[in-house]
Amino acid sequence: MRAMTLANSKIFDMDLGPLNPVWAELILGFAVFFLTFFFMAKVILPKIKRTIEQREDAIEGGTERADDLRSEAADIRAQYEAELAEARHEAARIRAKAVEEGSAAIAAARAEGQAERDAILAAGTAKIAAEREAAERELNADVDAWARALADRIVGEPVGADRG
């Protein structure tokens, strides 16, 4: 066997050409690999993991906030619809009351007008009856006088109480 030096020592006795590793390069490669591995594992990967967790939390929190906002909006909409239904009910009640009051006012005005008309008719009927009575008395007095005058003309002499 040949003597091995650290710089040119070979792992295998056979000659692999450029593929035959050198101990110093192999040890240096492992050392750099493990340093890089530990640096990545202890420094960079935790930062990456923390960033990923923060992003996941932000996404989940955003989703939860969106769900909360959605449920709050649904509650507000339900409350709005309930208030709107109540307002419509109140408006219908007010309309019905207004129709009732209007009907009552129309009925009252109609009754008042009917009473006024009846009063006017009664006053007119009484006035007509009084005028008729006055006219009848006046005419009765005149009719007697006219009847006597006509009888006097027809007969040619005075008739009735005027005869003397």
Side-chain angles (χ1 to χ4, degrees):
M1 285 199 123
R2 292 183 264 168
M4 292 187 174
T5 61
L6 191 58
N8 292 330
S9 64
K10 296 183 179 182
I11 296 174
F12 303 109
D13 284 336
M14 52 187 199
D15 188 21
L16 296 175
L19 296 178
N20 200 12
V22 178
W23 279 106
E25 291 176 359
L26 192 60
I27 291 172
L28 182 65
F30 277 128
V32 171
F33 171 77
F34 285 115
L35 282 175
T36 306
F37 177 79
F38 284 119
F39 177 74
M40 293 286 285
K42 298 293 181 187
V43 177
I44 295 180
L45 289 177
K47 288 182 181 179
I48 292 173
K49 185 177 179 183
R50 189 172 46 243
T51 303
I52 290 173
E53 287 174 354
Q54 287 173 349
R55 287 182 182 175
E56 287 176 353
D57 186 44
I59 290 170
E60 288 175 7
T63 304
E64 289 174 6
R65 284 191 304 273
D67 289 341
D68 291 344
L69 287 174
R70 194 173 295 119
S71 68
E72 184 179 339
D75 292 343
I76 290 171
R77 181 179 177 143
Q79 181 182 3
Y80 167 75
E81 288 175 354
E83 288 175 2
L84 186 61
E86 179 64 29
R88 285 180 180 154
H89 178 69
E90 182 68 20
R93 189 184 63 75
I94 290 171
R95 273 194 305 273
K97 184 178 178 184
V99 166
E100 233 177 72
E101 289 174 358
S103 297
I106 289 172
R110 186 173 287 148
E112 184 181 328
Q114 188 75 23
E116 198 173 306
R117 183 194 73 148
D118 290 344
I120 291 171
L121 283 177
T125 304
K127 185 178 179 184
I128 290 173
E131 287 179 3
R132 182 177 180 191
E133 257 184 57
E136 278 181 14
R137 273 190 310 248
E138 192 177 307
L139 285 178
N140 278 340
D142 288 343
V143 167
D144 283 342
W146 288 347
R148 280 189 202 117
L150 187 59
D152 285 347
R153 272 190 187 172
I154 293 176
V155 173
E157 55 185 67
V159 180
D162 288 346
R163 254 202 255 179

